[in-house]
Each structure stands twice: as C-alpha cells, then as structure tokens.
Amino acid sequence: MSVRTPDPDPDWTPKPPAGAPNANPGWLKDVELAEIRRRLPILYIEAVPVRVDGLGQVVEVGVLLRARPTGEMTRTLVSGRVLYGETLRDALFRHLEKDLGPMAFPQLPTSPVPFTVAEYFPLPGITAYTDDRQHAVSLAYVVPVTGTCDPRQDALEITWMTPAEAASPGVSAEMEGGRGTLLRAALASVGQLY
C-alpha cells in the first residue's frame, strides 16, 4: 500500500488571530522569489542519502536523477530552501520526504551541524559550486535512510551505488552545479574517500 503525504500548497496561508495582521507563511510567489534571489543569499539544506551496515559504515550512496527545464538529465542530491520560521531539522526532513518519499525513513542527525557549508554563486569560478539563478548558502548533511525510497516531485529516480562508484569522475561529470565535489566531500566526511 502506497502512503502519500500531501505536497505543500504555495498559496496556503495560516489564519492569524482575530484582528492580527497575516503572518508570513514562509512561501513566496515566483515573482517574489526571483526578486529576493537578486538581492540576498538564500539558505538551503542538502542531503546525501546513504545506507549503512550494522557497524554504521556507508555501503551505498543515493544519487537522484532529475530532468532540467531544458530537458537535460542530470544527477543531483536532495536539496531545498529553508522556509522562514522552519528549523534546520524540519527543513531537512521535509526535503528528504519530498525527494525520497514518505517511506524512506531518514535517520536525521542528532546535531544540526553540517559536514560542510557550500556557497553557490551565479558566476562560475568563485567557488566549486554554481547556481545560475542565485547566490545560495547550503548546509550539507549525510543522512542514513532505512526505508524504501520512492522519488517524488522532480526527482525521477534514485540510483544506489557504492561509495567508490559515487566518487568516480563519471558520476561527478553528470552532477549539476559542482555537486560532484559536494558528494566527494560527503564521502570524505564519513571516511569513504581516502
């Protein structure tokens, strides 16, 4: 039996107390987001889903396949914005469920400290990470998952591979925006890249 949670409605607004002004719901219209992206860095989370053995060693790494608006197929990681008023843990869980499905059963870290901070720029060459839409700051995590992954939203599939396969130049070349570098840093942070 497939269990699906509803996707967030970008037009949803919480009801303010009687007589109070409407609070910011954390969702932005496309035009508002485009304007903000031109003025401020945006905070994101990124997650590298992994499967671990009984000793906690990473044995598989999950990489998502996505189609870009241009029709190009790319590999990527779980990622998304942190909403106003949302904790990092809540954002991490929301994006893991959004990309991997509700039955992935992610084991969120006990501490919200990321393995690295990646800074994306719209111009190449400033850092290893690029995003032509914006300047973004991303907190990156390695997250074990124990359930069944059923990609949703714009993720077409998840491919599970060994850490050595995930660190290969071929996989890095298929990843967008420097995420191959981020994936290699994730593997190094869990002792899988020597």
Side-chain angles (χ1 to χ4, degrees):
M1 177 173 114
S2 179
V3 178
R4 297 270 185 183
T5 57
D7 293 325
D9 177 2
D11 295 322
W12 176 82
T13 303
K15 294 181 182 176
N22 192 2
N24 182 346
W27 292 103
L28 299 169
K29 305 270 188 237
D30 288 344
V31 106
E32 294 170 321
L33 181 58
E35 179 63 26
I36 289 170
R37 281 179 166 159
R38 284 192 295 272
R39 296 175 178 233
L40 300 168
I42 306 293
L43 180 61
Y44 280 75
I45 59 87
E46 291 188 278
V48 178
V50 298
R51 297 214 187 267
V52 296
D53 64 15
L55 297 175
Q57 297 294 311
V58 173
V59 293
E60 288 184 311
V61 179
V63 179
L64 298 170
L65 180 67
R66 287 200 173 129
R68 294 182 59 111
T70 60
E72 176 189 10
M73 302 300 273
T74 61
R75 298 271 177 202
T76 192
L77 305 171
V78 172
S79 66
R81 289 190 315 257
V82 177
L83 300 177
Y84 179 80
E86 184 176 44
T87 67
L88 294 174
R89 293 178 65 76
D90 288 343
L92 191 56
F93 185 80
R94 179 171 58 83
H95 287 293
L96 285 160
E97 184 177 80
K98 174 187 68 98
D99 285 348
L100 303 179
M103 302 305 285
F105 301 130
Q107 305 297 302
L108 296 182
T110 55
S111 169
V113 176
F115 72 84
T116 196
V117 176
E119 193 170 13
Y120 291 82
F121 285 92
L123 303 172
I126 298 173
T127 68
Y129 311 108
T130 59
D131 184 334
D132 58 2
R133 305 168 300 163
Q134 66 192 337
H135 175 191
V137 176
S138 181
L139 307 178
Y141 301 87
V142 175
V143 181
V145 295
T146 59
T148 303
C149 295
D150 181 23
R152 305 177 349 164
Q153 298 283 336
D154 59 345
L156 302 175
E157 72 174 29
I158 185 166
T159 303
W160 292 100
M161 52 189 78
T162 67
E165 291 168 333
S168 72
V171 171
S172 286
E174 294 178 0
M175 299 190 86
E176 60 187 356
R179 286 188 175 86
T181 301
L182 188 63
L183 178 56
R184 291 177 58 82
L187 292 169
S189 78
V190 294
Q192 291 295 319
L193 193 60
Y194 307 105

